[in-house]
């Protein structure tokens, strides 16, 4: 099967990770970002075991573990009532845990990998729609321009 020509909207953690996985699978990937410079938005986030599995497949889990903090339990109360009490150790796989990490740290790890891979990133491109072009779709941007067709 030939590699596909894929467009991804957004350079957030999901867009960057998807671009890396698709690129490594042999596809031509182009990222479109609405900001003039890709950057993290927000403060912290928590990575669950499924996210860690993706980062491990990308070869980035060790970097994330070094920059984040291990979380073994989530506990929350609303007034006098416990509304959340999750112990990762109670799950089937005892080695499970979460990672608390600042969004900028995760972004840096993923963005640097995208740059090293040579994946094209077009900045200042606000996507507003897409339109069919045969079996493909072209992206329409806020400035009225339309992209080449992508798979």
């Amino acid at each position: 099967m030939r590699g596909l020509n894929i467009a991804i909207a957004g350079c957030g953690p999901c867009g960057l990770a998807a671009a890396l996985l698709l690129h490594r699978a042999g596809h031509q990937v182009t990222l479109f970002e609405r900001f003039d410079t890709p950057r993290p938005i927000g403060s912290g986030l928590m990575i669950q075991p499924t996210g860690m599995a993706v980062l491990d497949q990308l070869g980035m889990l060790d970097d994330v573990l070094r920059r984040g903090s291990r979380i073994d339990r989530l506990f929350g109360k609303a007034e006098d009532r416990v509304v959340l009490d999750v112990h990762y150790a109670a799950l089937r796989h005892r080695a499970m845990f979460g990672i608390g990490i600042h969004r900028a740290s995760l972004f840096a790890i993923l963005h640097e990998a995208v740059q090293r891979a040579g994946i094209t990133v077009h900045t200042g491109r606000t996507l507003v729609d897409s339109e069919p072009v045969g079996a493909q779709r072209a992206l329409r941007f806020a400035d009225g321009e339309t992209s080449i067709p992508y798979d």
Side-chain angles (χ1 to χ4, degrees), residues 15-31 58 60 108-121:
L16 294 169
L20 288 165
L21 290 167
L22 290 164
H23 175 77
R24 290 178 182 184
H27 302 292
Q28 176 67 37
V29 180
T30 304
L31 278 157
L58 287 168
M60 298 174 189
I109 292 166
L110 293 166
H111 188 258
E112 289 165 13
V114 162
Q115 290 179 315
R116 281 192 309 274
I119 296 171
T120 302
V121 178

Side-chain angles (χ1 to χ4, degrees), residues 1-149:
M1 182 172 126
R2 70 172 180 86
L4 299 173
N5 189 16
I6 299 172
I8 296 176
C11 283
C14 291
L16 294 169
L20 288 165
L21 290 167
L22 290 164
H23 175 77
R24 290 178 182 184
H27 302 292
Q28 176 67 37
V29 180
T30 304
L31 278 157
F32 292 91
E33 173 57 48
R34 67 180 165 165
F35 297 115
D36 291 331
T37 302
R39 65 183 190 272
I41 296 178
S43 54
L45 52 86
M46 193 169 121
I47 302 172
Q48 297 292 347
T50 52
M52 288 189 287
V54 172
L55 292 166
D56 190 35
Q57 184 178 354
L58 287 168
M60 298 174 189
L61 183 57
D62 288 340
D63 285 341
V64 170
L65 289 169
R66 279 193 293 280
R67 295 187 194 191
S69 296
R70 182 182 170 121
I71 297 172
D72 292 301
R73 180 182 181 198
L74 298 175
F75 182 79
K77 288 179 81 173
E79 298 178 17
D80 294 338
R81 197 167 59 104
V82 174
V83 294
L84 177 70
D85 192 2
V86 177
H87 298 261
Y88 284 93
L91 299 173
R92 272 187 293 154
H93 305 286
R94 297 244 182 249
M96 289 185 144
F97 56 92
I99 302 171
I101 191 168
H102 194 278
R103 192 174 295 268
S105 296
L106 179 60
F107 173 83
I109 292 166
L110 293 166
H111 188 258
E112 289 165 13
V114 162
Q115 290 179 315
R116 281 192 309 274
I119 296 171
T120 302
V121 178
H122 293 289
T123 59
R125 306 304 329 241
T126 301
L127 178 64
V128 294
D129 203 357
S130 69
E131 53 194 49
V133 178
Q136 299 176 311
R137 292 194 79 80
L139 307 177
R140 198 157 25 96
F141 301 100
D143 62 6
E145 290 186 16
T146 301
S147 74
I148 64 168

